[in-house]
């Protein structure tokens, strides 16, 4: 779930917030795939020359 802090960060220009989900055994799931798809879309559209992953 997005928190107020996530929403504030997402409002920054040029920033995209992606949250995964936590599986039943406490592992984070889905973030790698979302990040990869986002980067493919950015590359395909030539929307950025640099991407920072934090």
């Amino acid at each position: 779930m997005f928190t107020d802090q996530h929403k504030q960060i997402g409002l920054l220009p040029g920033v995209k917030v992606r949250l995964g989900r936590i599986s039943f055994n406490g592992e984070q799931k889905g973030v790698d795939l979302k990040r990869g798809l986002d980067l493919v879309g950015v590359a395909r559209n030539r929307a950025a020359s640099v991407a920072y992953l934090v």
Side-chain angles (χ1 to χ4, degrees):
M1 286 192 108
F2 269 52
T3 64
D4 289 337
Q5 188 175 22
H6 293 129
K7 291 175 186 174
Q8 288 176 341
I9 293 169
L11 292 174
L12 295 171
V15 173
K16 184 176 244 186
V17 176
R18 285 290 192 213
L19 301 179
R21 61 180 174 82
I22 304 295
S23 69
F24 67 93
N25 60 354
E27 295 177 351
Q28 189 171 332
K29 296 288 185 181
V31 174
D32 293 340
L33 178 60
K34 287 180 182 180
R35 184 174 52 214
L37 291 173
D38 285 342
L39 290 173
V40 167
V42 168
R44 182 179 293 148
N45 296 325
R46 297 184 180 174
S49 58
V50 177
Y52 295 97
L53 303 175
V54 180

